[in-house]
Amino acid sequence: MKKLINSPDTVLDDALAGVAAAHPTLKVDLEARIITRAGGPSVGKVALISGGGSGHEPLHGGFVGPGMLHAACPGEVFTSPVPDQMLAAAQAADGGAGVVFVVKNYTGDVLNFEMAAELAGEDGIEVATVLVDDDVAVKDSTWTAGRRGTGATVFVEKIAGALAEQGADLASVAEIGRRVNAASRSFAVALSPCTTPAAGKPGFELAEDEMEVGVGIHGEPGRSREKLEPAAAIVARSLDAIFADQPLAAGEETIVMVNGLGGTPLIELYVAYADVAKYFAERGVRIVRNLVGNYITSLEMAGASFTVCKADEQMLALWDAPVNTPALRWGA
Amino acid sequence: MKKLINSPDTVLDDALAGVAAAHPTLKVDLEARIITRAGGPSVGKVALISGGGSGHEPLHGGFVGPGMLHAACPGEVFTSPVPDQMLAAAQAADGGAGVVFVVKNYTGDVLNFEMAAELAGEDGIEVATVLVDDDVAVKDSTWTAGRRGTGATVFVEKIAGALAEQGADLASVAEIGRRVNAASRSFAVALSPCTTPAAGKPGFELAEDEMEVGVGIHGEPGRSREKLEPAAAIVARSLDAIFADQPLAAGEETIVMVNGLGGTPLIELYVAYADVAKYFAERGVRIVRNLVGNYITSLEMAGASFTVCKADEQMLALWDAPVNTPALRWGA
Amino acid sequence: MDIHQTRTWVRSIAAAMDQHKDHLTQLDSAIGDADHGVNMQRGFTAVVAALDGYEPAGVGDVLVKTGTTLISKVGGAAGPLYGTFFRATGKQLTGPVADAEQLAAALDAGLAGVQKLGAAVPGDKTMVDALTPALEAFGAAARAGEDEATAAEKAAEAAETGAKDTIPLQARKGRASYLGSRSTGHQDPGATSTALIFRTLAEVLKP
Amino acid sequence: MDIHQTRTWVRSIAAAMDQHKDHLTQLDSAIGDADHGVNMQRGFTAVVAALDGYEPAGVGDVLVKTGTTLISKVGGAAGPLYGTFFRATGKQLTGPVADAEQLAAALDAGLAGVQKLGAAVPGDKTMVDALTPALEAFGAAARAGEDEATAAEKAAEAAETGAKDTIPLQARKGRASYLGSRSTGHQDPGATSTALIFRTLAEVLKP
Ligand SMILES: Nc1ncnc2c1ncn2[C@@H]1O[C@H](COP(=O)(O)OP(=O)(O)O)[C@@H](O)[C@H]1O
Ligand SMILES: Nc1ncnc2c1ncn2[C@@H]1O[C@H](COP(=O)(O)OP(=O)(O)O)[C@@H](O)[C@H]1O
Ligand SMILES: [Mg+2]
Ligand SMILES: [Mg+2]
Ligand SMILES: [Mg+2]
Ligand SMILES: [Mg+2]
């Protein structure tokens, strides 16, 4: 295992110390393991709180700041955080108008946030939860824990965060978050696995000519393992899966993210984005906003995920609203 | 070789098509292989132009936009661009006040930019060149082609770009660029090699327990090959090398970048930044601005580079000036 | 089971998790995300620390503290589930000792808590597949008038069988469910840690 | 050497670069950045395309066009250096044919251009270490009244020896210089491609 770390046990604490040192706009509570805005809670405004296992940076800590999250709760690498963290985050971030928990749909995340919501409720903090489940690689059936949450998290956090910033109430902020999730679909392909510091060896094995189609952000297996394909074919099979789940008609407007899983060079993400743009153009579906880069990663995994959100006017206006976080910043 | 590409021969063209599709603020001339601002030249202002081999993204195309570069010339992967590109960029970007070429000190880059400067001069475009040579891993001696250019390029482009935006003349813009370079030092450590699409196999080999100390951005060998060390030790040996070359006294102000080489997760860069902050704190040297992330990469190489710029007031003010590029954006 | 034995049980679980960390992680890497061993070890290490110097009034206090600490320190699916199990079990046991029947009823309450939270039923390939037969065996023994040591031994055996019996199952809950039919042929890590928990109980109570 | 032979020479270089691409890249990966073969192949492929349909007035035009195309298409260190070499050589040759002495003088001008641009001297472990002995051999043969074919054969042999002789050298120019003493023991890729260029010249001129 080759990692730029001091010890597998201290990765999270060390990284949080780094975040604290690097970003004066953030406040990092190393004890409670939460990242909040340096400015404290926004009185009278809804606070968006997210969290999940670490190893997906910049998600979520990189999205804390005006126009997006109020707080992030990073768990151990690939392990959901604990209720104490979300409770501390809720207490630190609540401006009196309640908090929205943005939760990716994994059993661990759901259970821990559920417990935290109960505890926060006991503390008199109003809590609404937005469950993100956009990964079409896994069907939502009685045979699964439901669809996994992935790239749409970034869209939910940006758009709901913008509405919260404008002073909307708890129900409205939660509702736009749920609408963004409902309008979003993701699909990922891994070219190589990744290694958690604690495990010390790759979560799965892929032969030199193989790729994992429909991989999850923790390296969860996908739909199938296939021979490595050119970027255009990888893009086509990912977008086919997305369009099959949510058909998009010519003229419809979308926000699209081509996201690197951590170990894929940006030049390759642009190669993939060219193929994405072509795929959309051929169908007359419009990409009106986009992100190309590393936004929700899986440590050093090679590969990319594709997220498509069918956006309405309100979503686009909120997308364009100012945001000032370490990983996403414009208009500020 | 596992890459998200369509063919080794088309990587650059495909990526440029992706850049063109993704960024409406940029204009990509696929024929001339240059990236310029969509808004065209800024009349009466000096235009900053940079370029170099591809595979270091977001450098340079990701730094084109108001407050930073006017144009970027991407060469083939790890191969400097050709004079035609720089000439086309100069013609497209010159607003009548001349152009500054920001050139990383590699034989290929220097020779091609030199030729381009001659050609542009023949076209009546005034050209000044800023040579970046900040990598302390290699000594500048009769035995080398001089010190290599690396992370300081980002600082030079940001700070000189800000001065150009303010309307300073050619000599002043070039001068601040040279001052930033003179005030900057870098050092990099690789934990794993990278593979250019054309070569198809890694540029060098590293055993499971080895690291390359002082590696160059194309995988050029460094000072030595050592047993893998914890992050704090890697940071200490890198900063020792930098401080040995340019001593910094307590109280002095710096801009520091912890840059990922492409395959290193952001969480690890934060771990390293915590160690950097500690190293500086122990010496009383102040980090007053920082960047933590992937800014000048080496494809999927794992590892990090460290760049320290001893900044004066003018540099800091220019650092803080608005910038609006795909990879660096604030105040806009 | 008295307070001292309860403490010893929890400490022994911590030792067992240390010892079997790699095995649990290996099972979790086959059908999960390779962290179950680390999670359990981190959790029970924290529990041992939390119990240090803690003065419980009853058997249940030890277990409630155990559960609360697991919830605060583990995360993932196992944290809330095991945390709830120990908390719900402990809440039933107010006295300084618990006999076999009291313990049986309390453990049943623990399982009910797990199922209320995680909605897993037997056959879903989760810890419930070890907990259910273990508690059935424990309850049957207790009702038959056997002592705690015997009941715990039978529970441990049933949990071990239950864990093994998850091998052919297809997961319907948790991360393993994403594997679809590829989850068959592997033993569930959570069911395996449950078997360890009952094996240590049997060892602690062995006269 | 007439126009037709000059074209054939350049086309043969392109074929040689195709054939030896991997070898050159391998040499460059030992002490450089593993792109010299690709660079040369890309450049000469472009040269062949540029010469297609081009009507040169003299031998020099072919070489100038070759050099200009290399500058426009190769990049890296080799692009400007070889580009300058062919341009500077070509500029000396205005007629429809060049005899041995004319060619010798022109090639010397080419080398002078390379050295003016890259500032390398013999012993720096660059293409100059193959060019210098090659042109010395060529010039000596020409001055001794030998024909072009003989001069080119001697130049090819000298270039090959010069390339081999770079093996023990420590690089002082270009990317290889960063290796310090580790650059010794490897043959310089640029010197090797220079040897290929003279070998093809000898073959094309062979009666
Ligand atoms: N809904 C559920 N109900 C009961 N047990 C579950 C459920 N989901 C998962 N588990 C158990 O949790 C175990 C995984 O725990 P762990 O690896 O620590 O958490 P995570 O899956 O979040 O990484 C599984 O092996 C399974 O036994
Ligand atoms: N200053 C120089 N003068 C002459 N030749 C040089 C000089 N620097 C490098 N070279 C030659 O260029 C060759 C490398 O070419 P190439 O690999 O195509 O370019 P790059 O080094 O930019 O990747 C070296 O093997 C050497 O022969
Ligand atoms: Mg987990
Ligand atoms: Mg090169
Ligand atoms: Mg797990
Ligand atoms: Mg090279």
Side-chain angles (χ1 to χ4, degrees):
Chain A
M1 178 178 59
K2 287 191 146 177
K3 297 197 175 287
L4 188 61
I5 62 175
N6 287 308
S7 129
D9 300 334
T10 61
V11 171
L12 179 53
D13 290 326
D14 291 351
L16 285 176
V19 171
H23 302 296
T25 59
L26 302 181
K27 188 173 144 191
V28 180
D29 185 331
L30 296 170
E31 197 55 45
R33 286 187 164 175
I34 56 169
I35 300 171
T36 55
R37 299 188 194 172
S42 306
V43 178
K45 289 188 183 176
V46 171
L48 220 64
I49 296 173
S50 192
S54 292
H56 307 302
E57 290 67 25
L59 193 86
H60 299 273
F63 298 131
V64 175
M68 216 159 162
L69 296 180
H70 257 90
C73 312
E76 293 286 338
V77 173
F78 287 7
T79 299
S80 90
V82 299
D84 305 36
Q85 289 173 270
M86 297 116 180
L87 178 62
Q91 287 163 340
D94 182 33
V99 303
V100 174
F101 285 163
V102 179
V103 184
K104 297 190 292 307
N105 188 34
Y106 299 93
T107 303
D109 294 73
V110 170
L111 297 183
N112 285 283
F113 268 104
E114 231 170 74
M115 292 195 149
E118 236 173 81
L119 297 170
E122 288 168 16
D123 272 15
I125 301 172
E126 242 192 305
V127 180
T129 295
V130 174
L131 198 67
V132 181
D133 62 346
D134 55 316
D135 188 344
V136 300
V138 165
K139 291 270 166 271
D140 185 5
S141 77
T142 49
W143 281 94
T144 69
R147 231 155 53 177
R148 302 177 298 214
T150 160
T153 317
V154 179
F155 293 178
V156 169
E157 293 177 2
K158 170 67 186 83
I159 293 172
L163 192 63
E165 201 66 55
Q166 293 177 1
D169 65 16
L170 187 62
S172 309
V173 175
E175 196 243 321
I176 188 101
R178 291 189 195 111
R179 281 210 295 120
V180 170
N181 175 60
S184 299
R185 300 289 185 283
S186 293
F187 197 88
V189 174
L191 306 192
S192 78
C194 63
T195 299
T196 61
K201 46 184 187 234
F204 56 99
E205 309 256 322
L206 272 177
E208 192 41 43
D209 62 343
E210 282 181 343
M211 59 182 187
E212 180 72 29
V213 175
V215 74
I217 55 170
H218 312 95
E220 294 98 340
R223 290 190 173 178
S224 61
R225 189 158 291 192
E226 307 286 346
K227 290 275 167 230
L228 190 62
E229 289 171 351
I234 289 174
V235 164
R237 58 158 80 234
S238 300
L239 295 181
D240 282 352
I242 287 172
F243 277 60
D245 203 274
Q246 173 177 267
L248 286 160
E252 277 181 319
E253 299 195 320
T254 62
I255 307 174
V256 169
M257 176 168 72
V258 172
N259 170 66
L261 298 182
T264 286
L266 186 52
I267 191 171
E268 297 180 23
L269 299 181
Y270 278 117
V271 167
Y273 189 76
D275 290 318
V276 168
K278 218 171 132 207
Y279 184 101
F280 273 73
E282 280 164 9
R283 284 155 186 80
V285 182
R286 298 179 57 208
I287 305 178
V288 294
R289 303 290 184 278
N290 71 79
L291 290 177
V292 180
N294 289 354
Y295 294 97
I296 163 170
T297 59
S298 302
L299 294 170
E300 74 283 3
M301 195 184 284
S305 70
F306 305 90
T307 302
V308 177
C309 172
K310 181 175 153 182
D312 61 26
E313 256 175 59
Q314 190 194 7
M315 293 179 197
L316 289 177
L318 291 168
W319 181 263
D320 292 339
V323 60
N324 184 352
T325 73
L328 218 59
R329 182 166 180 180
W330 55 72
Chain B
M1 178 179 60
K2 287 189 145 177
K3 296 198 174 288
L4 188 61
I5 61 174
N6 286 308
S7 128
D9 299 334
T10 62
V11 171
L12 179 55
D13 291 325
D14 291 352
L16 285 176
V19 171
H23 302 296
T25 58
L26 302 180
K27 189 172 140 191
V28 181
D29 185 331
L30 297 171
E31 198 56 44
R33 287 185 162 176
I34 56 170
I35 300 173
T36 55
R37 299 188 194 171
S42 307
V43 178
K45 289 188 182 174
V46 171
L48 221 64
I49 297 174
S50 193
S54 293
H56 307 301
E57 290 67 25
L59 190 89
H60 297 274
F63 298 132
V64 175
M68 213 161 165
L69 296 180
H70 256 91
C73 312
E76 293 286 338
V77 173
F78 286 6
T79 300
S80 89
V82 299
D84 305 37
Q85 289 172 270
M86 297 115 180
L87 178 62
Q91 288 163 341
D94 182 33
V99 303
V100 173
F101 286 162
V102 179
V103 184
K104 297 190 291 307
N105 188 33
Y106 298 94
T107 304
D109 296 72
V110 170
L111 296 183
N112 284 282
F113 268 103
E114 231 170 73
M115 291 195 151
E118 235 173 83
L119 296 170
E122 287 169 19
D123 272 16
I125 301 171
E126 243 193 304
V127 180
T129 296
V130 175
L131 198 67
V132 181
D133 62 346
D134 55 318
D135 188 343
V136 299
V138 166
K139 292 269 167 273
D140 186 4
S141 78
T142 51
W143 283 94
T144 68
R147 231 155 53 178
R148 302 175 299 211
T150 161
T153 317
V154 179
F155 294 179
V156 170
E157 293 177 3
K158 169 67 187 83
I159 293 173
L163 192 64
E165 201 66 54
Q166 293 177 1
D169 65 15
L170 188 61
S172 309
V173 174
E175 197 243 320
I176 189 102
R178 291 190 196 109
R179 280 211 296 121
V180 170
N181 176 61
S184 299
R185 299 291 185 281
S186 293
F187 197 88
V189 174
L191 306 191
S192 78
C194 63
T195 299
T196 60
K201 49 183 184 237
F204 57 99
E205 310 255 322
L206 272 178
E208 191 44 41
D209 61 344
E210 282 180 344
M211 60 182 187
E212 179 72 28
V213 175
V215 75
I217 55 171
H218 311 96
E220 294 98 341
R223 289 190 175 179
S224 61
R225 189 158 292 191
E226 305 287 345
K227 291 276 168 229
L228 190 62
E229 290 171 350
I234 290 175
V235 164
R237 57 159 78 237
S238 300
L239 295 181
D240 282 351
I242 287 172
F243 276 61
D245 203 272
Q246 173 178 267
L248 287 160
E252 278 181 318
E253 300 195 319
T254 61
I255 308 175
V256 170
M257 176 167 72
V258 172
N259 170 65
L261 298 183
T264 286
L266 186 52
I267 191 170
E268 297 180 25
L269 298 181
Y270 279 116
V271 168
Y273 189 75
D275 290 317
V276 168
K278 219 170 130 208
Y279 185 101
F280 273 73
E282 281 163 8
R283 284 156 186 79
V285 183
R286 298 179 56 208
I287 304 178
V288 293
R289 304 290 184 278
N290 71 79
L291 290 178
V292 180
N294 290 353
Y295 294 96
I296 164 170
T297 60
S298 301
L299 294 171
E300 74 282 2
M301 195 184 285
S305 69
F306 306 89
T307 302
V308 177
C309 173
K310 181 174 155 182
D312 61 27
E313 256 177 57
Q314 189 193 9
M315 293 179 197
L316 289 177
L318 291 168
W319 181 263
D320 292 339
V323 58
N324 185 350
T325 73
L328 218 60
R329 185 168 178 178
W330 55 73
Chain C
M1 187 165 78
D2 62 18
I3 291 179
H4 177 73
Q5 285 175 309
T6 312
R7 272 182 187 279
T8 308
W9 178 29
V10 173
R11 286 221 185 85
S12 307
I13 298 175
M17 294 304 158
D18 273 351
Q19 198 188 327
H20 296 277
K21 186 185 95 169
D22 289 343
H23 179 227
L24 293 174
T25 292
Q26 193 185 308
L27 293 176
D28 196 31
S29 78
I31 56 170
D33 59 352
D35 63 357
H36 189 58
V38 183
N39 287 348
M40 295 303 282
Q41 191 204 30
R42 183 174 62 249
F44 277 93
T45 303
V47 167
V48 169
L51 289 181
D52 196 44
Y54 175 64
E55 296 293 346
V59 165
D61 290 342
V62 178
L63 299 179
V64 168
K65 183 111 197 147
T66 298
T68 307
T69 306
L70 291 177
I71 291 172
S72 293
K73 296 295 176 187
V74 177
L81 289 165
Y82 274 126
T84 297
F85 176 72
F86 282 99
R87 270 174 66 89
T89 300
K91 282 197 178 156
Q92 305 298 313
L93 302 170
T94 44
V97 278
D99 66 22
E101 280 196 82
Q102 285 169 325
L103 195 51
L107 289 167
D108 282 345
L111 172 57
V114 168
Q115 291 192 274
K116 190 173 163 231
L117 187 64
V121 295
D124 282 353
K125 196 175 184 115
T126 70
M127 58 176 70
V128 169
D129 289 313
L131 282 171
T132 305
L135 300 203
E136 270 165 16
F138 196 104
R143 280 189 302 276
E146 308 267 25
D147 64 7
E148 282 176 334
T150 312
E153 175 59 35
K154 292 199 165 155
E157 282 163 19
E160 282 154 3
T161 307
K164 288 238 169 56
D165 287 349
T166 62
I167 294 176
L169 297 177
Q170 177 172 340
R172 257 191 297 240
K173 282 281 178 292
R175 208 176 292 276
S177 70
Y178 301 136
L179 274 155
S181 61
R182 286 195 268 171
S183 66
T184 63
H186 299 279
Q187 185 167 324
D188 180 61
T192 309
S193 55
T194 294
L196 289 172
I197 287 169
F198 280 93
R199 175 52 58 203
T200 53
L201 180 63
E203 273 160 20
V204 167
L205 296 180
K206 197 178 288 171
Chain D
M1 187 165 76
D2 62 17
I3 292 179
H4 176 74
Q5 285 174 311
T6 311
R7 273 182 187 278
T8 309
W9 179 29
V10 175
R11 286 219 185 85
S12 306
I13 298 175
M17 294 305 158
D18 274 351
Q19 199 189 327
H20 296 277
K21 185 185 95 171
D22 290 344
H23 180 228
L24 293 173
T25 293
Q26 194 186 308
L27 292 176
D28 196 32
S29 79
I31 57 169
D33 59 351
D35 64 356
H36 189 59
V38 182
N39 288 348
M40 295 303 280
Q41 190 203 32
R42 184 174 63 250
F44 277 93
T45 303
V47 167
V48 169
L51 289 180
D52 197 44
Y54 175 64
E55 296 294 347
V59 165
D61 290 344
V62 178
L63 298 178
V64 169
K65 183 112 199 147
T66 298
T68 307
T69 306
L70 290 177
I71 291 171
S72 293
K73 296 294 174 185
V74 176
L81 290 166
Y82 274 126
T84 297
F85 177 71
F86 282 100
R87 270 174 65 88
T89 301
K91 281 197 179 159
Q92 305 297 317
L93 302 170
T94 44
V97 277
D99 65 24
E101 281 196 82
Q102 286 170 325
L103 195 50
L107 289 167
D108 283 345
L111 172 57
V114 168
Q115 291 191 273
K116 190 174 164 227
L117 189 62
V121 296
D124 282 354
K125 195 174 183 117
T126 70
M127 58 176 70
V128 169
D129 290 313
L131 281 170
T132 304
L135 301 203
E136 270 165 17
F138 197 104
R143 279 189 301 277
E146 309 264 22
D147 63 7
E148 283 175 335
T150 311
E153 176 57 36
K154 293 196 166 156
E157 282 163 19
E160 282 153 4
T161 307
K164 288 238 170 58
D165 287 350
T166 62
I167 296 177
L169 297 176
Q170 177 171 341
R172 258 192 296 239
K173 282 282 177 292
R175 209 176 293 277
S177 69
Y178 301 136
L179 273 154
S181 62
R182 285 196 269 171
S183 66
T184 63
H186 299 279
Q187 187 168 323
D188 180 61
T192 310
S193 55
T194 293
L196 289 173
I197 288 170
F198 280 93
R199 175 52 58 203
T200 53
L201 180 64
E203 273 161 19
V204 167
L205 294 179
K206 197 177 288 171

